[in-house]
């Protein structure tokens, strides 16, 4: 294990843009991946670019750690259920049409969770919990099960033609990325190269809703999708699960994602506490008439955030494209929300 004080080295994601959600998510995901393997991993912003610091950190270690992450996830990413061979751990699946299908699916999920628990793979458990699951407990006023209500709002894989997140996104990435030549995974994260194994065309949707269509490096995509694990969800008996970092208004339908920008170095656990905090949400709703809070609460949230180094929030509108039956949700360019200094 490496100590923070022993010659900390900086890995800079030079190709990142603060206005684009996928770069924040990849920053968080990469930080968490490295945090599981090294001591002293901290995250900071340097002239608007995400940087990860740790003693002994190098592009070679980044490369090695990502390859290990891709390999170790196969214990649940590759698992399938039912005659359709749908990925067992996807949070949104085409509807189950019988009680027997539900029971079989739940049994398969529980077997995987038991195995992951026995392996003491705590990061996987946190990730699966943040991703959500088909919500067998949630019904509409007609008694119809609303399966998608238990999923993270960051899971934006379109559902057309039976597509689902784990089988159609995580699994292909975990299969294709290890075949890259050494050095090209880290180069994709710094912005030195951009290899889109899943798409590779001007209309590529490899980013899975975290930015607008276009070719994008898939190592960046893997880290961004892993970043979903930093945003816990809270399932509800009625209504969609509440996703940290997400805001929604029902009439008219509008939604946003939001993330902080900070000064100084943060440990990865500190990042998770800020992302899930009520104070970050209270500051992020500024200017949204149906959600905005009162001046006292907003001021208290700003003071709390500034004391922890937060200097601003980026809020990303979410657009809906395509058909109403299978819409594609995409995070659009973000807008900055400054955190005001305390008044005296």
């Amino acid at each position: 294990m490496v100590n923070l004080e022993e010659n900390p080295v900086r890995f800079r994601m030079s190709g990142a843009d603060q206005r684009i959600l996928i770069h924040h998510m990849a920053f968080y995901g990469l930080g968490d991946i490295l945090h599981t393997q090294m001591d002293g991993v901290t995250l900071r912003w340097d002239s608007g670019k995400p940087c990860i610091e740790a003693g002994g950190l190098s592009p070679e270690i980044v490369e090695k750690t990502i390859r290990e992450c891709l390999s170790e996830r196969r214990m649940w990413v590759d698992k399938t259920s039912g005659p359709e061979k749908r990925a067992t751990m996807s949070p949104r699946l085409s509807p189950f049409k019988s009680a027997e299908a539900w029971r079989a699916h739940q049994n398969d999920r529980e077997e995987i969770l038991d195995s992951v628990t026995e392996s003491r793979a705590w990061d996987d458990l946190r990730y699966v919990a943040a991703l959500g699951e088909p919500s067998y407990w949630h019904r509409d006023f007609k008694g119809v099960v609303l399966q998608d209500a238990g999923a993270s709002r960051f899971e934006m894989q379109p559902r057309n033609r039976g597509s689902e997140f784990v089988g159609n996104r995580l699994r292909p990435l975990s299969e294709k990325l290890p075949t890259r030549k050494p050095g090209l995974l880290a180069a994709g994260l710094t912005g030195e190269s951009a290899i889109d194994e899943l798409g590779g065309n001007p209309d590529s949707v490899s980013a899975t809703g975290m930015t607008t269509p276009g070719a994008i490096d898939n190592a960046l995509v893997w880290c961004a999708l892993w970043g979903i694990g930093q945003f816990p969800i809270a399932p509800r008996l009625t209504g969609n699960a509440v996703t940290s970092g997400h805001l929604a208004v029902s009439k008219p339908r509008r939604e946003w994602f939001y993330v902080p920008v900070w000064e100084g170095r943060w440990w990865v656990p500190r990042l998770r506490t800020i992302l899930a905090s009520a104070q970050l949400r209270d500051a992020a709703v500024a200017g949204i008439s149906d959600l905005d809070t009162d001046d006292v609460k907003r001021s208290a949230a700003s003071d709390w955030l500034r004391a922890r180094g937060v200097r601003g929030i980026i809020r990303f509108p979410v657009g809906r494209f395509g058909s109403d039956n299978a819409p594609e949700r995409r995070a659009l360019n973000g807008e900055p929300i400054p955190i005001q200094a305390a008044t005296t």
Side-chain angles (χ1 to χ4, degrees), residues 17-344:
D17 185 334
Q18 279 191 354
R19 299 169 299 173
I20 299 176
L21 177 63
I22 197 168
H23 293 134
H24 294 263
M25 300 295 287
F27 184 26
Y28 306 159
L30 178 59
D32 187 53
I33 290 168
L34 292 169
H35 174 68
T36 63
Q37 300 295 324
M38 305 179 70
D39 275 343
V41 172
T42 58
L43 313 180
R44 70 182 305 168
W45 291 92
D46 177 30
S47 300
K49 304 296 183 182
C51 294
I52 299 176
E53 296 181 351
L57 185 62
S58 68
E60 292 75 21
I61 287 179
V62 170
E63 181 93 10
K64 176 178 179 289
T65 307
I66 292 175
R67 290 184 184 276
E68 290 173 354
C69 177
L70 289 162
S71 174
E72 291 169 0
R73 304 292 80 76
R74 302 296 291 272
M75 63 179 170
W76 57 267
V77 166
D78 288 351
K79 301 295 185 181
T80 61
S81 298
E84 301 89 355
K85 299 297 182 182
R86 296 178 291 187
T88 309
M89 304 310 286
S90 279
R92 294 187 302 131
L93 293 166
S94 51
F96 295 109
K97 297 180 180 179
S98 68
E100 291 76 14
W102 269 109
R103 282 194 290 269
H105 174 72
Q106 286 303 120
N107 287 337
D108 289 344
R109 276 188 64 91
E110 289 167 10
E111 286 182 7
I112 293 172
L113 291 172
D114 287 345
S115 176
V116 173
T117 302
E118 289 170 4
S119 300
R120 303 176 68 85
W122 310 129
D123 292 319
D124 293 81
L125 289 172
R126 186 180 65 245
Y127 183 79
V128 168
L131 202 57
E133 65 177 306
S135 52
Y136 57 84
W137 62 88
H138 191 186
R139 299 175 181 268
D140 65 11
F141 66 95
K142 295 181 180 179
V144 176
V145 177
L146 302 177
Q147 285 184 220
D148 293 354
S152 167
R153 299 301 290 172
F154 283 100
E155 196 275 83
M156 293 181 279
Q157 172 71 13
R159 278 270 306 280
N160 51 318
R161 297 186 296 276
S163 180
E164 37 87 3
F165 181 72
V166 174
N168 294 89
R169 188 59 62 208
L170 293 187
R171 189 184 304 147
L173 287 170
S174 69
E175 292 171 347
K176 293 177 181 296
L177 285 172
T179 66
R180 279 197 193 178
K181 293 181 180 179
L184 291 181
L185 293 178
L189 293 167
T190 61
E192 297 172 67
S193 70
I195 304 171
D196 189 349
E197 290 93 340
L198 298 190
N201 57 64
D203 297 324
S204 170
V205 292
S206 298
T208 321
M210 292 190 182
T211 187
T212 52
I216 190 166
D217 188 85
N218 285 179
L220 188 80
V221 172
W222 173 267
C223 290
L225 298 181
W226 191 252
I228 294 173
Q230 309 306 297
F231 294 84
I233 66 172
R236 298 189 297 172
L237 290 176
T238 59
N240 291 329
V242 176
T243 302
S244 303
H246 178 261
L247 304 169
V249 173
S250 57
K251 295 182 180 180
R253 179 183 291 177
R254 294 173 293 159
E255 58 179 320
W256 302 261
F257 295 118
Y258 61 91
V259 296
V261 178
W262 62 92
E263 290 180 346
R265 297 186 295 182
W266 278 5
W267 305 100
V268 175
R270 162 58 65 88
L271 169 67
R272 286 199 287 266
T273 64
I274 300 297
L275 291 175
S277 69
Q279 290 85 351
L280 189 67
R281 186 187 187 281
D282 287 344
V285 298
I288 301 176
S289 58
D290 295 311
L291 299 175
D292 206 352
T293 186
D294 60 74
D295 291 343
V296 173
K297 197 171 183 180
R298 190 184 310 109
S299 177
S302 295
D303 292 348
W304 188 90
L305 292 167
R306 286 191 66 85
R308 287 154 180 80
V310 180
R311 295 298 178 261
I313 293 170
I314 311 293
R315 191 169 66 198
F316 302 88
V318 178
R320 295 171 67 89
F321 302 87
S323 70
D324 290 337
N325 292 332
E328 293 187 22
R329 296 167 56 244
R330 301 173 194 154
L332 307 179
N333 281 4
E335 54 178 332
I337 302 172
I339 301 298
Q340 302 297 329
T343 57
T344 57

